[in-house]
Amino acid sequence: MTITPLMPVYPRCGVRPVRGEHCHLMGEDGTRYLDFASGIAVNLLGHSNEHLIGTIQRQAATLMHVSNLYGSPLGDALAQRLVDLTFADTVFFTNSGAEAVECAIKVARAYHQHAGSTERYELITFNNAFHGRTMATISASDQEKMHKGFMPLLPGFKYAPFNDLAAAEALIGPHTAGFLVEPIQGEGGVHEGSAEFLTGLRALADRHDLMLVFDEVQCGVARTGTFYAHEQYGVTPDVMASAKGIGGGFPLGACLATEKAARGMVFGTHGSTYGGNPLAMAAAGAVLDVVANEAFLANVRATGARLRARLEQFIGNYPDMFELVRGKGLMLGIKLRMEPRAFVAHLRDNHQVLTVAAADQTMRVLPPLVIDDSHIDEFMDKLSAAAASYQVTEPA
Ligand SMILES: *Cc1c(COP(=O)(O)O)cnc(C)c1O
């Protein structure tokens, strides 16, 4: 037998974390890493936030799980908080981002089909999008590498180039149900949607009675310095998927919708055994206690601006290696002039700093939202050392 007990779908690196300490991770062998990946934009509060840990511990000892067949005081309260904080009127809780997107796809289809338009099922999505790894969410992404071996895809998705409003409009037809888009693409390389593009999609959706669905699984929950990224564009969706940071490390997703958009989601149309269980609701409540206020969000914007300024100054020293810095708040990407994976590995293995590679030759910088200037200093020192040693020992 050569297959590993953990199904070998991830090319796992040598880092084997066993303990978290605020913005650092400790490996099995005692190595200490600066974590500017945050479990891919998940650990908003770092790794040892006392409020989050205490809340989970108390809730685990009180009530961990009950069925969605029963009333949920904690679910009611968290949904009400999200409704109060966002465009949404109603929320469905899931266990992951892909499930939140799945629910959003169902909401968009049901909006039309509940009203009798059974021919309207198609969502227009965008090149280099990432929406998850389930069959519907890989079908919603135009990426060959996610499809291979898993054909046939689910019908009902058309792809247009990201930030190309005319191309999206040209795909609208009698089967169109709506648009599904990340306001800021994460895996695709930290690409910001342009204001014209997102505003234009909203206008097209209004004109053609289509659902505008935002996937804010990566860019949402304070990551970009507003509670959700779309707030910075002045554009509101009809439906939105959220996850990653929302549980601060506890697995949780959410599909948010307006009352109008959710008109098809009546009794019996959707469900989840674990979705929104008391433990998850308590964890998310603790995260919102910390991040869902203007002082915290303003600090994310200010910290992001300081980190970005340092990065922009730094890349000027290595014009042959780095091209530019993209992103908003603490969702930043450095575009390299080479494939990023070898550099991400060098930074990790030789300088003990964790970042994440993305498409378009981009290295993602996704620190916990609670970093201070000491973490920025440590990051910049180690990044500079990594760039210097990379040029000497491993020319690009
Ligand atoms: C990570 C991600 C997903 C999938 O979330 P999972 O929790 O891994 O299922 C979906 N959309 C976006 C934009 C993501 O970044």
Side-chain angles (χ1 to χ4, degrees):
M1 190 129 16
T2 56
I3 195 163
T4 48
L6 269 180
M7 196 178 281
V9 294
Y10 277 101
R12 290 169 191 271
C13 70
V15 179
R16 295 171 65 82
V18 291
R19 196 170 73 251
E21 289 177 2
H22 194 41
C23 299
H24 290 82
L25 284 173
M26 306 298 290
E28 199 174 39
D29 62 358
T31 310
R32 183 177 159 89
Y33 298 90
L34 179 65
D35 184 8
F36 269 38
S38 307
I40 314 192
V42 169
N43 304 94
L44 304 188
L45 311 181
H47 294 283
S48 45
N49 181 274
E50 285 180 10
H51 180 52
L52 179 59
I53 293 168
T55 302
I56 291 172
Q57 285 176 334
R58 280 190 301 278
Q59 188 59 45
T62 307
L63 181 65
M64 207 179 308
H65 177 83
V66 289
S67 167
N68 278 314
L69 296 172
Y70 310 121
S72 172
L74 287 171
D76 291 341
L78 187 72
Q80 183 66 56
R81 282 176 86 175
L82 290 171
V83 164
D84 291 343
L85 288 163
T86 67
F87 72 96
D89 303 311
T90 190
V91 184
F92 183 88
F93 291 111
T94 68
N95 315 291
S96 68
E99 285 173 289
V101 178
E102 287 269 350
C103 181
I105 294 167
K106 286 180 73 172
V107 170
R109 287 186 173 188
Y111 170 77
H112 297 288
Q113 297 183 25
H114 182 75
S117 303
T118 50
E119 76 288 357
R120 292 176 78 171
Y121 55 82
E122 214 163 66
L123 287 174
I124 295 168
T125 72
F126 296 90
N127 293 353
N128 295 314
F130 182 83
H131 297 298
R133 296 293 201 147
T134 62
M135 280 309 305
T137 56
I138 64 172
S139 302
S141 301
D142 75 330
Q143 301 199 46
E144 175 79 27
K145 63 175 193 280
M146 297 202 292
H147 298 164
K148 208 167 163 261
F150 303 111
M151 305 304 275
L153 299 180
L154 204 70
F157 298 95
K158 285 207 162 148
Y159 318 120
F162 187 63
N163 272 338
D164 187 338
L165 189 62
E169 182 170 14
L171 288 179
I172 297 174
H175 299 302
T176 309
F179 303 104
L180 168 60
V181 64
E182 296 157 88
I184 304 176
Q185 289 189 335
E187 308 291 323
V190 192
H191 283 284
E192 297 169 55
S194 71
E196 305 74 59
F197 176 61
L198 296 175
T199 308
L201 289 181
R202 179 69 270 169
L204 285 174
D206 290 342
R207 184 162 352 125
H208 298 277
D209 188 25
L210 303 176
M211 290 282 99
L212 180 60
V213 182
F214 282 167
D215 180 347
E216 289 223 25
V217 169
Q218 191 157 155
C219 61
V221 196
R223 174 61 50 191
T224 67
T226 47
F227 190 47
Y228 283 98
H230 67 257
E231 295 166 31
Q232 292 176 57
Y233 293 91
V235 176
T236 52
D238 303 295
V239 189
M240 180 178 74
S242 184
K244 287 202 165 91
I246 197 170
F250 196 91
L252 176 66
C255 174
L256 292 79
T258 65
E259 179 166 21
K260 181 183 172 195
R263 68 185 177 191
M265 303 306 285
V266 297
F267 290 153
T269 53
H270 200 47
S272 169
T273 297
Y274 289 137
N277 87 9
L279 199 50
M281 297 297 90
V287 172
L288 294 193
D289 290 344
V290 179
V291 308
N293 63 81
E294 184 45 36
F296 186 90
L297 295 168
N299 190 55
V300 172
R301 293 195 294 275
T303 308
R306 287 200 301 283
L307 176 56
R308 190 190 182 120
R310 296 277 299 271
L311 288 172
E312 276 170 350
Q313 188 183 36
F314 156 78
I315 66 171
N317 301 332
Y318 296 94
D320 298 342
M321 291 177 72
F322 306 106
E323 187 177 332
L324 49 82
V325 182
R326 282 194 288 250
K328 283 193 192 323
L330 286 170
M331 180 175 184
L332 295 171
I334 306 174
K335 183 164 185 190
L336 279 65
R337 296 199 189 274
M338 56 204 179
E339 255 303 297
R341 276 171 188 76
F343 184 75
V344 166
H346 171 66
L347 186 59
R348 177 188 73 219
D349 297 337
N350 300 319
H351 299 273
Q352 290 75 51
V353 175
L354 305 180
T355 58
V356 200
D360 192 30
Q361 301 194 356
T362 301
M363 178 174 93
R364 272 176 290 176
V365 179
L366 303 166
L369 304 184
V370 294
I371 55 165
D372 60 29
D373 285 337
S374 74
H375 302 106
I376 294 182
D377 289 343
E378 182 183 349
F379 180 70
M380 293 310 305
D381 287 350
K382 291 180 171 170
L383 181 63
S384 301
S389 59
Y390 198 74
Q391 274 199 324
V392 173
T393 59
E394 300 162 74

